[in-house]
Amino acid sequence: MSIHIGAKQGEIADTVLVCGDPLRAEHIAESYLKDAFCYSNVRNMLGFTGRYNGKRISVQGTGMGQPSLAIYLHELTHEYGVKTIIRVGTCGALNQEIELGDIIVAQGASTDSNMNRLIFSGLDFAPLPDYGLMTAAIQEAEKQNIKVRIGYLFSTDYFYFKDDPKRWELWINHGMLCAEMESSLLFTMAAAAGVRSCSILTVSDNIILGKACSTEERESSFNDMMRIALNIC
Ligand code: HPA
């Protein structure tokens, strides 16, 4: 057991899918993994291990935002020896051409969070996914005929900044495709721990157009994202 994860040693697989919502972790385990069991319900931040195509995979809820994610990443890498972490989440598009339900594979993540500055004493680190894992996700999408967009994310600490479109101009002008709340720190902490990471996201809303996904759109794009993520584990 670590402080925030109730698993015994050996119960968490080398490869872990992480998502903000613990109930989504449960849904992934129930829908996609064989023989899945819950290894932790500490603070209701559920984690499960099961098998996909014979390979052991875990899925862990992390809560929303970088400070919460950091707790789970630290314990997964330092206490449980996890080697590969794939974020499967949602994001808000920052570009009118990006449609609800589109899938985005992150090429890098900028942030307004102070976490990187704390870690690097005020200097700037460029948070990037593992190149091999990112490429595997892109190739897997091609193989399965799933269209993905590849580009930069903005990981914000403040969800409701989305209501202020002016705030995004500078970032849109620097090529950001979407906003979410976790990938920047995932890439930074994975680099520090020497583990592989990448982020695959579905577009749940469009910040510029003020539109959000219907339940059906959410479901089908979620399935496509999962088919990519699970096959690169
Ligand atoms: N902003 C930040 N995070 C998000 C959003 C958003 O619009 N949509 C899904 N995650």
Side-chain angles (χ1 to χ4, degrees):
M1 252 193 99
S2 60
I3 295 177
H4 301 91
I5 301 177
K8 296 194 197 85
Q9 282 304 323
E11 283 188 331
I12 301 183
D14 284 352
T15 298
V16 181
L17 303 174
V18 291
C19 55
D21 180 356
L23 293 181
R24 181 169 276 210
E26 184 174 51
H27 173 69
I28 292 171
E30 282 172 357
S31 311
Y32 299 97
L33 302 184
K34 275 209 172 126
D35 307 324
F37 66 94
C38 178
Y39 60 69
S40 182
N41 60 6
V42 177
R43 291 176 180 244
N44 285 330
M45 198 56 79
L46 304 173
F48 300 83
T49 297
R51 287 185 185 276
Y52 181 81
N53 280 346
K55 183 162 188 229
R56 271 182 99 223
I57 293 173
S58 295
V59 52
Q60 173 69 51
T62 62
M64 286 176 277
Q66 301 188 47
S68 179
L69 173 71
I71 290 171
Y72 296 96
L73 290 181
H74 182 94
E75 294 178 21
L76 288 172
T77 54
H78 287 72
E79 312 249 359
Y80 292 100
V82 165
K83 301 281 180 266
T84 300
I85 302 174
I86 301 171
R87 168 162 154 71
V88 282
T90 58
C91 64
L94 289 171
N95 178 324
Q96 309 208 7
E97 267 117 64
I98 300 178
E99 291 181 29
L100 301 179
D102 280 2
I103 297 177
I104 295 181
V105 175
Q107 193 183 353
S110 297
T111 186
D112 55 17
S113 166
N114 209 33
M115 296 286 285
N116 268 342
R117 303 220 187 96
L118 287 173
I119 296 167
F120 294 98
S121 308
L123 301 181
D124 296 314
F125 174 77
L128 302 171
D130 176 80
Y131 181 77
L133 202 55
M134 176 191 75
T135 312
I138 296 163
Q139 287 170 351
E140 183 59 34
E142 262 168 31
K143 194 168 127 196
Q144 297 195 43
N145 246 329
I146 301 169
K147 184 185 120 196
V148 292
R149 294 175 184 270
I150 303 145
Y152 302 124
L153 319 179
F154 189 86
S155 302
T156 184
D157 270 358
Y158 192 10
F159 184 84
Y160 285 104
F161 268 144
K162 69 198 245 151
D163 295 342
D164 174 10
K166 270 213 149 45
R167 161 195 160 75
W168 295 109
E169 273 174 25
L170 179 65
W171 299 99
I172 292 166
N173 291 341
H174 284 77
M176 298 298 133
L177 296 186
C178 65
E180 50 86 84
M181 298 184 72
E182 288 86 13
S183 296
S184 170
L185 192 75
L186 168 61
F187 300 157
T188 302
M189 287 187 70
V195 308
R196 305 190 309 155
S197 73
C198 76
S199 268
I200 309 170
L201 305 169
T202 59
V203 176
S204 60
D205 52 296
N206 189 306
I207 294 174
I208 307 305
L209 300 175
K211 283 192 341 192
C213 248
S214 68
T215 318
E216 299 77 48
E217 280 165 329
R218 213 177 266 260
E219 199 55 39
S220 76
S221 54
F222 178 75
N223 270 324
D224 285 347
M225 172 179 72
M226 291 310 304
R227 276 166 47 215
I228 299 170
L230 287 163
N231 284 296
I232 60 166
C233 279

